[in-house]
Amino acid sequence: MAIVCKSANEIEKMRRSGGIVREVLNHVKAMVAPGVTTMDLERAAEAKIKELGAKPAFKGYYDYPCVLCTSVNEEIVHGIPSPKRVLKAGDIVSIDCGVVMDGYYGDAAITVPVDGSLAPETQKLLEVTEAALYKGIEQAKIGNAIGDVGAAVQEYVEANGFSVVREFVGHGIGTRLHEEPQIPNFGTKGFGAPLKEGMVLAIEPMVNTGRPEARVLDDKWTAVTMDGSFSAHFEHCVAVTKNGPVILTQ
């Protein structure tokens, strides 16, 4: 499938969608605390998306049942919100949200500490994963290649003693939630599709404290680390422009 470059007008529409995603994530992030369930976060997000006049991107996508993905501790991505999943001190929760507004998608993720009692390695995991996202974003410029984005993420993560997940990657985004090209969080500088003006990329490092391998649980959605180590996930949608990378989900 061909890579679709967006016009300036289309990118502005995507900035609106991205802004709604950020507003929802900020709203939900403020709720994260011991005793809160991931379903509490889900209900709040669904109400906020409706209030802001958008539609959820995830609910119903390949029959996914919720508007958020909430992945706790060793869960990497696609954790399904549940009233039985109660957050506790020392946990981290990755919150992934997507919306569609006027036919254009926005998609972003954050990983949030449940309280201030994180183990030092877990705190470092969050800091490194978020910093790796920005390392990747810096490479999203005309004349670079997809491999430059992935290499920047991988080099930073591995230099800090963590690993990048291979089975799940970033993606193009626009009038569909997932478009070409795929954006791995690993790679070789200069390899892969060239980055051109108007491309919009969902860059989303998924980083483990332990080994990179993942497996999917029996619910067919939730991906967890094979070794039970903690995992973090941060994501932005980024437009490739003549003025450099522009984040649309902030």
Side-chain angles (χ1 to χ4, degrees), residues 31-204:
M31 295 176 57
V32 172
V36 172
T37 72
T38 53
M39 183 55 74
D40 293 332
L41 306 182
E42 164 72 12
R43 291 186 180 121
E46 187 161 31
K48 193 68 173 176
I49 291 168
K50 185 176 181 181
E51 175 193 321
L52 295 171
K55 293 181 180 178
F58 299 170
K59 193 170 187 176
Y61 187 74
Y62 291 104
D63 296 323
Y64 184 75
C66 293
V67 307
L68 293 180
C69 297
T70 53
S71 306
V72 181
N73 297 340
E74 76 284 356
E75 296 171 355
I76 301 168
V77 283
H78 305 154
I80 302 172
S82 168
K84 297 179 181 178
R85 193 61 187 264
V86 181
L87 300 176
K88 63 183 188 300
D91 285 348
I92 56 174
V93 56
S94 298
I95 306 167
D96 192 354
C97 180
V99 306
V100 58
M101 180 81 171
D102 295 331
Y104 289 85
Y105 283 82
D107 185 10
I110 55 176
T111 303
V112 182
V114 173
D115 70 343
S117 64
L118 292 187
E121 183 183 51
T122 307
Q123 182 61 45
K124 183 182 177 184
L125 172 69
L126 268 56
E127 293 167 0
V128 167
T129 307
E130 186 169 22
L133 169 60
Y134 289 97
K135 295 288 185 184
I137 289 170
E138 287 172 6
Q139 299 302 315
K141 51 192 178 186
I142 297 167
N144 274 1
I146 295 298
D148 292 297
V149 177
V153 171
Q154 181 180 10
E155 288 171 11
Y156 185 79
V157 168
E158 292 179 353
N160 280 279
F162 298 131
S163 64
V164 292
V165 173
R166 302 303 202 272
E167 289 92 335
F168 301 93
V169 299
H171 50 92
I173 187 169
T175 55
R176 289 178 296 122
L177 180 59
H178 293 106
E179 297 184 353
E180 291 297 328
Q182 292 194 340
I183 316 293
N185 297 303
F186 55 93
T188 304
K189 293 176 182 177
F191 281 77
L195 299 180
K196 298 180 179 179
E197 183 175 1
M199 290 172 66
V200 181
L201 313 176
I203 302 173
E204 50 178 324

